[in-house]
Amino acid sequence: YRYCDMERAKNEISTPEHKKIARETAAQTFVLLKNEGQVLPLQKKGKVALVGPLANSRYNMAGMWAVACDHEQSVTVLEGFKAAAGDSFEVLYSKGSNIVDDPAYESRFNWGPSEIDPDKSPEQLRKEAVALASKCDVVVAVMGEGAEMSGESSCRTDIGLPGSQQELLKDLLKTGKPVVLVLFTGRPLTITWEQENIPAILNVWFGGTESGNAIADVVFGDINPSGKLPVTFPRSLRDS
């Protein structure tokens, strides 16, 4: 504790220089699991449909063990995409699904405000997302685990995409649009169906407060993803 100084903290935490390093570091951790047909990087033109429960989820960017994190400083994927778009292309957003649809389950892993939409059913959320995706040139589905679903005392009996997320992904694929899956996870998941059917999958773990900007950097080709898997992803639950 020798160097603890509140004034120093005010001047040195979350400076532009530190945010730049955080952004670059996050991008270096991302793993390109699949890129069939060279869907990625996306071109900065046309209309991009940004869909999924983690696309605009500020409290889930920093991941587990972020107790001292100021989540209000976290950059969402939607914010990162809009910053990257500028006047070059249009980003349209739809939530599409909740991380999970069961409020009791969500309360066990979500330390922030509830992100379950109380006014819309999973079917309504999916229908809205599919309608939006149908009007765009490409779909980026931002899905996976909530930050507190992995870590200490966070075992899961099923390690596939939680909730109704895979149903959303299947409906998005039926639109015929190219689909990119941006996958948030703190553990290996059973994504066999996703691997067999989704043309491009980018695993982003939990990249910290600059996640949204870093993901945009990689998806639109400003940074080449160089991360490698430190673990094996099982094909099924019995293999895990």
Side-chain angles (χ1 to χ4, degrees), residues 22-39:
R23 180 172 178 168
E24 293 171 350
T25 302
Q28 290 173 14
T29 71
F30 301 160
V31 184
L32 185 61
L33 298 179
K34 183 181 180 183
N35 193 21
E36 189 176 87
Q38 299 299 303
V39 175

Side-chain angles (χ1 to χ4, degrees), residues 73-231:
Q73 294 196 36
S74 289
V75 180
T76 67
V77 182
L78 177 58
E79 289 170 339
F81 272 44
K82 285 189 172 181
D87 297 325
S88 302
F89 62 96
E90 189 174 358
V91 178
L92 303 180
Y93 163 73
S94 180
K95 185 176 182 180
S97 76
N98 302 303
I99 297 176
V100 297
D101 300 315
D102 181 358
Y105 182 15
E106 190 207 31
S107 69
R108 295 188 179 96
F109 70 79
N110 185 3
W111 290 4
S114 175
E115 296 194 6
I116 292 179
D117 193 323
D119 300 319
K120 296 178 181 177
S121 68
E123 292 74 22
Q124 287 176 299
L125 289 171
R126 252 194 327 274
K127 185 177 180 180
E128 289 177 357
V130 170
L132 179 137
S134 299
K135 299 185 293 186
C136 295
D137 302 298
V138 63
V139 180
V140 179
V142 189
M143 299 181 174
E145 296 185 308
E148 305 296 335
M149 291 183 81
S150 56
E152 186 179 13
S153 302
S154 298
C155 293
R156 292 179 59 201
T157 56
D158 181 347
I159 54 172
L161 280 178
S164 54
Q165 294 184 57
Q166 191 183 85
E167 295 174 56
L168 170 61
L169 202 54
K170 289 179 178 179
D171 285 352
L172 292 172
L173 202 61
K174 290 176 184 176
T175 65
K177 307 293 183 176
V179 177
V180 176
L181 173 59
V182 172
L183 185 65
F184 279 80
T185 180
R187 61 158 60 82
L189 297 180
T190 52
I191 53 169
T192 303
W193 181 89
E194 292 80 0
Q195 172 66 18
E196 292 173 350
N197 292 278
I198 304 302
I201 304 175
L202 180 69
N203 197 94
V204 298
W205 312 107
F206 291 97
T209 54
E210 286 293 312
S211 287
N213 286 326
I215 291 168
D217 288 340
V218 171
V219 168
F220 293 105
D222 295 323
I223 294 179
N224 189 47
S226 58
K228 302 293 186 290
L229 287 180
V231 288

